Every structure is written in C-alpha cells, then in structure tokens.
Amino acid sequence: MISLETVQMAMVMAARNHQKKQAVIDMQENWDEVSEIILKMIENGEYKELICYEKKTLYDKKERHIDMPTLMTRILQYVFMLYAEPFYKREDPKISYNCKEGYGLNAQDRSKSVTRKVKHLFYDRRDLNYVLMIDQRHCYQHCTSKVFRRKAKILGLKKEWIDFCIDVCFVGKALPIGTPSSPLLQHIIMLEFDKWLKRETSISVRYADNVLVGCEDKQSAQRLKWRIMNHWWYDLQIRANRKEVSIKPIKDSYIDFCGYVFHRNEGKRYNEHNKGYTLARRSTAENARKATSENWGCYFGLLRGGDTYHLMKKIEEKMKLQDLTSRIRINRKLDAPNIQMKDIDGVDICILDYEMRTNKLGQVNWVKLLLMVKEKDIIKEAEGEKILIREVHGDYKGIYSYLLECEKEYKKEDILPLTNVRITNQCGYIFEGSTNQVKTLEDYKKQVNNSINN
C-alpha cells in the first residue's frame, strides 16, 4: 500500500517550518526508527492511535476556531497527499488558484496568478460586460466525508486510501481549518464543479470558496448564479452565502475580489494602453499606511499586485530603511564577508561548512564554502595571528566534484571541518592533491592502461 520512502518524504514535509519544536528534534534523532514504526502502524491499521488535534482560537477580523494537528497527524496527512495529488493534477482544469504549488494571488507564473487572470478579464475581454461573484457559506464545515467519498471514487482513488483519508484528514464528518490536507480535499470535492464551470464559461476564477465569472450580459449572469447555487446544494450540500452573491456591470462598478478593486477604462481596445487599473482594498491601504517594520512585508506582498507604486514608495520613505537595518537583521546560511577564490590560492585554510546547489536537471553546478583563514595570509599589512571567517562561492567544478566524491563514502558531518586545506588553480580551482595529475610519461601510460582495463 505504501513505501518507506513515501513515509520519510511525508516526515520531511511535516517537519518543514517546525524545526525548533521538540517533537521534530526527537523525530530527527530517531529518523529510521520512527519512519519504520509509522509504516508498520499504517500497514496494520493501528495509525488511528497517532491522530490528535489541538484546539486553537485565532482572531483575524473574525474569530476562527482551528484544529492544529500534532506532528504524527501531519505526517499521516502528508502521506495521503503524496498519494492523491497526482490523481488531482491529472484532472485539474486549472481555474482554482489557492493552496497549490506555484499558484497564488501574485504568482510569478502569469497563468497561475489570480490578479493577472482578473486583470485579463477587465482589461482585455471587452466582450464581457458583467461580473458574477459568489462564495460559499462555512465552506469547510460543509465539506463532509460523505461527499468526499463520492468525489474521491469518481477521481479513481482506491477504497483503502479513501478510508485512510477520512480517518486522518477529517475531524468528525467535516474538514478542519488549519491542516495542510484540507485545501487538497476541498479541491477534490470541487473538482467536478470546476470542470463544469470551465465548460460553461469563457473565463472564471475560483479562490478557495470565492468564485468570479465574466458574463456577456446580466441575464446570462443571473442564469449562471442559480445554476451554481443549485449545483453546490444538490451535488455538494454546500450553501451559497447569499449576502456575498452579487452581479455587477464592469463599467463604473466597484469590483472587489480577493482584496483588490479592479476597474476598466471604457473606450479602449484590447491592444491599447491604459485599459484599466487595480487598487488595493481601502481597508488594506489604510492598514498599510499604519504598518510597522514587523508587518510591512505582508502588506508589501499585497500592494505589489496592484497599481500602488506611489503608496508603497511613500510608506517606505516614512519607514526609513536605514533605521530599520540598525534594529532588524536576517539570518542567512553560511553568511560571512565574501572573498575571491584567487585571494586564498595556495593559502592554508580550514573549511567549516559548505553548501551545494543544483540546476533544473538536478546536477550540482554551484558551491559555497565557509572557511577560516589567518588575517595575515590574505591581507599584506596585517600583523599577528587574528583568525577571520570568510565565504567564497561560485561554479567551481573541481571543488564540488571532490566534495560529492567524499559524500559517497562519508556523511557530511563526519568530514567537517576540513583542516590543513589548500586550494590551487590547476586548469580551474581544485583542492591541492585531490586529482590524479599526470606529471611524467610513465604516469600517462599507467592512466591509459587503467582506463582500458576498467
């Protein structure tokens, strides 16, 4: 039913952003033992003993009661997500934009950005004159295990996995707020609706429980409104929030969706400039003006999706970045003053730590070294025995190739620190003595013979 590698991958995902918690530290110290226990409990059906939630109340404009899963519960939820996500991705009509990798309000990929899609509707789709906005009432509470079971069967999930999901991902018969698996389960429940909506409309966006659709006229918007409400109620047992249902003309209207207010400038063609503009919601802009250095990052992420350059500039000038950096610092991995590789050519150094990065093909093409060096070895005027910490980075193939060979034989923590090391430039920078250099004709003949025999 499940492999040990899947359980370990779920453990990595569950520990993300929780590294300082004691439960995660204990799990990492006993990694192999814990993963085998979890696998055995899943295979024997004893995993229910691991499920536990902590009730919490958050206040974000309105009171929210959330269920925080424990580490073991999160691991079980990620196990199901690793199984179910490929099924969903194959069928995804790509009109939902929340809680999916690469998607978001201002995603870098234009095709996965909510604001880009809605701007396209307002700026370019001049054949559409009305907008329907509708959302669901208490969405997660109405996403029941009964409806999920029916939709999961349509998607092709196996019965034993559906039973496993209902045990570990539902609290009672409803989806909990505050768990990593709930958004995926809601996507699965809404999948058939998303497919239907894409077939019936030329442009539509769903962000969690909020739906926006562009329509040609008011009559077609009215028909679509009732069809959506009936679809939700009769197929999903989900009610529409009637207070939030609205049909508005795009011309001269206040269209607020996902925190942004979209406007269309009339009398423009799709290939002209100044076709419209997008502002942040008034309450968001007012709160941003009162922002402090601690929460400015959140508002910056929201404001950059709209035409709010002057507001952002005004706020940043008021905050005075120089004053901020005197009080606020960030931690970066292997962070030290940078030097060039030529500065340590032939110098005795000690490598304290290193980091390697890969390209899109998964091949290592970059290395960063955190090293210890005597001040007088790199600064001519220096005197004494002062020890400096520096970092050097770049595409040094001779360096990272040797480190990769070392990691095949030993763990990284076993070989660090690397003492009495010298780096030299021999057709590229390498560790001194780390390559089989040919110095005589006899050496060359031996190397050729060895390559032929191998």
Side-chain angles (χ1 to χ4, degrees):
M1 177 182 178
I2 187 175
S3 66
L4 182 63
E5 290 75 15
T6 301
V7 173
Q8 291 179 341
M9 190 178 298
M11 290 166 62
V12 172
M13 298 170 73
R16 194 179 299 155
N17 300 324
H18 299 275
Q19 298 290 342
K20 295 183 179 180
K21 293 185 178 179
Q22 189 60 44
V24 175
I25 296 172
D26 295 340
M27 180 186 72
Q28 292 175 339
E29 292 177 351
N30 305 279
W31 185 265
D32 294 332
E33 182 181 354
V34 172
S35 60
E36 290 175 359
I37 290 173
I38 295 174
L39 175 61
K40 190 174 293 186
M41 294 185 76
I42 292 175
E43 291 176 341
N44 297 337
E46 299 174 353
Y47 59 85
K48 295 181 183 179
E49 301 175 11
L50 303 175
I51 301 172
C52 183
Y53 291 88
E54 180 183 353
K55 301 288 184 180
K56 283 193 175 183
T57 302
L58 300 180
Y59 299 92
D60 179 17
K61 295 183 181 179
K62 60 181 179 180
E63 187 177 290
R64 296 180 185 273
H65 302 283
I66 67 172
D67 297 281
M68 294 291 293
T70 59
L71 175 61
M72 291 300 170
T73 307
R74 282 203 311 275
I75 293 172
L76 295 175
Q77 291 176 350
Y78 276 113
V79 166
F80 173 77
M81 292 171 65
L82 289 170
Y83 164 75
E85 277 184 340
F87 287 85
Y88 174 75
K89 288 180 178 179
R90 283 198 295 266
E91 302 291 329
D92 183 14
K94 299 178 181 179
I95 68 167
S96 58
Y97 290 80
N98 66 295
C99 302
K100 288 160 51 174
E101 185 178 359
Y103 286 77
L105 291 177
N106 299 295
Q108 292 184 352
D109 187 339
R110 295 168 68 96
S111 65
K112 299 177 180 179
S113 168
V114 173
T115 54
R116 292 288 185 182
K117 189 67 176 279
V118 181
K119 285 177 181 179
H120 172 64
L121 164 62
F122 277 75
Y123 301 169
D124 303 324
R125 292 299 303 272
R126 299 283 161 165
D127 56 319
L128 304 177
N129 302 302
Y130 278 80
V131 167
L132 165 65
M133 292 183 292
I134 182 171
D135 73 351
Q136 298 169 348
R137 181 174 176 269
H138 300 308
C139 170
Y140 278 9
Q141 294 179 19
H142 291 142
C143 290
T144 62
S145 57
K146 180 180 178 181
V147 175
F148 171 77
R149 182 180 293 276
R150 176 161 49 88
K151 296 300 181 181
K153 286 181 180 178
I154 296 174
L155 187 57
L157 305 188
K158 294 181 179 179
K159 182 180 182 301
E160 57 267 27
W161 278 101
I162 298 174
D163 294 336
F164 175 78
C165 173
I166 291 174
D167 289 335
V168 303
C169 299
F170 282 82
V171 175
K173 295 183 178 181
L175 278 182
I177 300 174
T179 66
S181 59
S182 291
L184 174 62
L185 269 61
Q186 194 228 3
H187 285 317
I188 293 175
I189 290 173
M190 298 293 294
L191 180 59
E192 294 301 313
F193 168 77
D194 290 346
K195 291 181 178 179
W196 172 82
L197 187 63
K198 187 172 183 177
R199 289 195 304 268
E200 296 295 320
T201 61
S202 60
I203 184 167
S204 51
V205 177
R206 181 175 70 81
Y207 191 83
D209 56 350
N210 296 283
V211 175
L212 180 143
V213 185
C215 303
E216 294 181 0
D217 50 47
K218 190 173 184 179
Q219 290 75 17
S220 60
Q222 285 284 1
R223 286 194 301 269
L224 188 61
K225 178 188 78 171
W226 289 108
R227 293 179 71 186
I228 291 174
M229 292 173 67
N230 288 336
H231 194 294
W232 285 354
W233 175 245
Y234 289 106
D235 186 47
L236 306 176
Q237 281 92 59
I238 294 177
R239 293 180 179 178
N241 188 345
R242 292 181 177 270
K243 294 181 180 179
E244 301 296 330
V245 178
S246 62
I247 296 174
K248 294 183 177 181
I250 294 179
K251 180 182 178 181
D252 301 328
S253 285
Y254 182 88
I255 310 295
D256 186 331
F257 185 72
C258 289
Y260 295 96
V261 182
F262 299 89
H263 299 266
R264 172 187 289 181
N265 291 335
E266 294 300 322
K268 298 287 184 178
R269 296 180 180 179
Y270 73 93
N271 57 350
E272 293 182 334
H273 294 289
N274 195 28
K275 295 176 289 186
Y277 57 97
T278 301
L279 302 176
R281 186 181 291 164
R282 180 175 295 179
S283 59
T284 302
E286 290 299 325
N287 291 333
R289 289 189 178 94
K290 303 173 185 176
T292 61
S293 56
E294 288 78 13
N295 57 11
W296 168 237
C298 299
Y299 290 107
F300 179 86
L302 285 170
L303 294 179
R304 72 184 182 89
D307 300 313
T308 56
Y309 172 78
H310 292 291
L311 174 60
M312 294 169 67
K313 187 176 179 181
K314 186 176 181 180
I315 294 173
E316 289 179 331
E317 288 176 352
K318 180 191 73 174
M319 295 176 72
K320 296 180 180 178
L321 184 60
Q322 291 182 350
D323 293 341
L324 291 179
T325 53
S326 65
R327 294 181 289 111
I328 302 171
R329 300 289 177 89
I330 61 174
N331 294 320
R332 299 190 302 177
K333 192 173 182 180
L334 309 187
D335 193 18
N338 172 254
I339 59 174
Q340 300 298 317
M341 191 67 82
K342 64 181 180 179
D343 297 331
I344 56 172
D345 188 354
V347 175
D348 289 327
I349 61 173
C350 174
I351 297 177
L352 303 174
D353 200 356
Y354 64 86
E355 175 189 8
M356 293 183 284
R357 296 180 186 175
T358 60
N359 57 21
K360 293 181 179 179
L361 301 177
Q363 301 167 338
V364 175
N365 66 343
W366 185 90
V367 65
K368 183 177 186 179
L369 305 176
L370 183 69
L371 53 91
M372 189 167 62
V373 62
K374 292 181 180 179
E375 184 183 27
K376 66 179 182 180
D377 288 339
I378 59 174
I379 302 176
K380 294 180 179 179
E381 297 80 10
E383 297 179 356
E385 298 294 326
K386 188 175 182 181
I387 303 299
L388 303 178
I389 304 296
R390 294 291 184 266
E391 69 87 12
V392 60
H393 62 265
D395 183 5
Y396 299 112
K397 187 173 182 180
I399 301 296
Y400 59 69
S401 296
Y402 184 76
L403 293 174
L404 288 172
E405 290 297 321
C406 291
E407 290 187 355
K408 291 179 181 179
E409 300 292 333
Y410 307 99
K411 293 182 180 179
K412 178 182 176 181
E413 54 268 24
D414 293 336
I415 63 176
L416 291 175
L418 292 170
T419 58
N420 299 322
V421 175
R422 281 194 176 190
I423 293 176
T424 182
N425 189 356
Q426 296 286 336
C427 297
Y429 288 101
I430 60 171
F431 291 117
E432 190 173 82
S434 64
T435 62
N436 296 317
Q437 286 189 335
V438 177
K439 297 181 179 178
T440 65
L441 180 59
E442 288 76 11
D443 292 340
Y444 175 72
K445 289 180 179 179
K446 289 179 182 179
Q447 192 178 77
V448 171
N449 291 331
N450 290 333
S451 63
I452 293 173
N453 293 333
N454 292 331

